[in-house]
Amino acid sequence: MGEKYKVIVIGSGFSGLSAACYLSTAGHEVHVLEKNGEPGGRARQLKTDKGFVFDMGPSWYWMPEVFENFFNDFGYKASDFYELQLLQPAFDIVFQNNEITHIPQNFEELCELFESLEKGSAGRLRKFMDEAGFKYKTAMENIIYKPGLSLMEFADLKLLKGAVRLQVFSSFSKYIRKFFSHPKLLALMEFPVLFLGAMPEETPALYSLMNYAGLKLGTWYPKGGFGAVVEAFVKVAKRQGVQFHFNTEVEKINSNQGQINFVVADEKIWECDAVIAAADYHHVEEKLLNPIDRNYSEAYWQRKTLAPSCLIFYLGLNKQLQSLNHHTLFFDEELHPHSLEIYKKPEWPEKPLFYVCCPSKTDTTVAPIGHENLFLLMPIAPALNDTEEIREKYFKIMIQRLEKLTAENISDHIIYKRSYCINDFNNDYNSFKGNAYGLANTLMQTAVLKPKLINYKIQNLFYAGQLTVPGPGVPPSIISGKIAAGLLLKSINSKKNEINI
């Protein structure tokens, strides 16, 4: 293949693993430096001596074709590594007075559910999904794999013809209200936006594609949890020749005349020809680079709208719960006030919404027999004051509402409990303001308006991850790594051509 580059990838989250695989299969020597003791970044697993296995971060497996495309690129299928199960119901939503709505994975049954709540809404749902499907297909084929370096990337005739239908400049909140008015339907359609990170009013209607991804393409579960997916990525990487170095925190990226020649990690010099920074973008810029080499100022970052952080509890129970399904969203309080407390007046919420995952309902490998594995997550504003007392206050709020829903005593059966919040995101991932999900998907932070994948001062430094293109979530992170690797390979090829000339 010609000259072999030595590439350092900083971070082993999905974007770093993805980038490492593509660079190594292109014939380069790739070293992944990871500050933690295991791969996966936010998708790490927590394994306890009591036999519980917790996914520490992602738990919703949406957009399965992105995972499949990744494996296909290396001659594999997802099923070569883990088993996927389509969840039925896809998830449950708890409304006021503990009314539970089961969201079916079958679209025809979903239409029946909509019609039962609001006359005429089944037909409107079909129209909504037709439009959302167009956006999803267009995004996957013409937008999401673009590096977002220039508006000219989007000057494709087919894309321009469909620009109006993409509704980039329309409000998501106003858009869905053209179709539905029932509060339960609005909550169902708006919930992905809360986690994508933005007020529904400030999210482009383009992101109805997420409704299509979740409600039409289905909610899946990889047996063994997301840890099984991380393990699969690591296997692919190792088969491509990627070398991993854990408990190895990068302390400095050294540049000379616009080129990186080495990084410092654990007081050791790692010489290299290029770097993919798949760690927190802000941390890389502010802590690892010289000020003269940074793309953005601290003032730039302070102006950014971040997606939420979250308060998480990992709970192991010595009993099984009879009335809980795999995914349960507590929308028994109003969405709008909680959204304001995340995005407009950042503070700990007065009446929080939250999410409960019970993977042991689907997977017997994540808890001992006769036990239950619970994951409680409450989205919050980043950069809040995070103390044990505050965590415990909200634990009691969530557990009491969960006990009321299930009509079962849960508190007395907890044999494992660990919390995770802003301070932990900071400590484990150098996360900007302790965010959990990256940048909010607002209009002013979409595509070319996101922080760039390239460094303008250093020719051989590229970025990947949820603070850059294409955005938050596991599938976008996988794609981000592929795009960043592609930009580096393009840079290498262009240098070869210059030499040949």
Side-chain angles (χ1 to χ4, degrees), residues 199-353:
M199 294 287 290
E201 295 87 347
E202 295 178 4
T203 301
L206 166 69
Y207 288 102
S208 65
L209 62 86
M210 293 305 300
N211 300 108
Y212 180 83
L215 297 175
K216 197 75 184 285
L217 299 181
T219 299
W220 301 78
Y221 174 75
K223 188 170 182 182
F226 260 89
V229 186
V230 171
E231 190 178 312
F233 274 61
V234 171
K235 282 181 181 176
V236 172
K238 287 183 174 178
R239 289 174 189 177
Q240 305 307 310
V242 174
Q243 299 176 55
F244 288 88
H245 309 272
F246 298 109
N247 298 306
T248 305
E249 183 168 8
V250 175
E251 298 146 1
K252 176 74 175 171
I253 296 173
N254 189 76
S255 65
N256 183 29
Q257 296 182 332
Q259 291 282 332
I260 295 171
N261 45 16
F262 66 84
V263 305
V264 179
D266 292 337
E267 300 181 353
K268 176 185 171 185
I269 289 177
W270 298 71
E271 294 182 348
C272 60
D273 300 301
V275 169
I276 300 270
D280 181 273
Y281 199 133
H282 172 266
H283 172 76
V284 172
E285 292 253 306
E286 288 295 315
K287 302 298 183 184
L288 306 187
L289 291 176
N290 293 320
I292 196 171
D293 292 330
R294 296 169 189 165
N295 272 349
Y296 305 106
S297 67
E298 181 62 22
Y300 167 90
W301 288 107
Q302 294 300 330
R303 290 194 299 269
K304 295 289 104 179
T305 302
L306 291 172
S309 185
C310 50
L311 169 60
I312 304 171
F313 286 94
Y314 310 106
L315 305 177
L317 309 185
N318 64 2
K319 64 178 282 189
Q320 291 183 298
L321 301 176
Q322 301 307 309
S323 58
L324 201 63
N325 285 318
H326 192 118
H327 294 301
T328 304
L329 295 159
F330 277 76
F331 273 63
D332 48 340
E333 299 289 357
E334 293 294 322
L335 169 64
H336 190 70
H338 192 165
S339 298
L340 289 174
E341 288 160 336
I342 294 175
Y343 300 112
K344 294 301 180 186
K345 45 175 186 177
E347 59 187 1
W348 284 91
E350 185 178 346
K351 296 180 178 179
L353 310 181

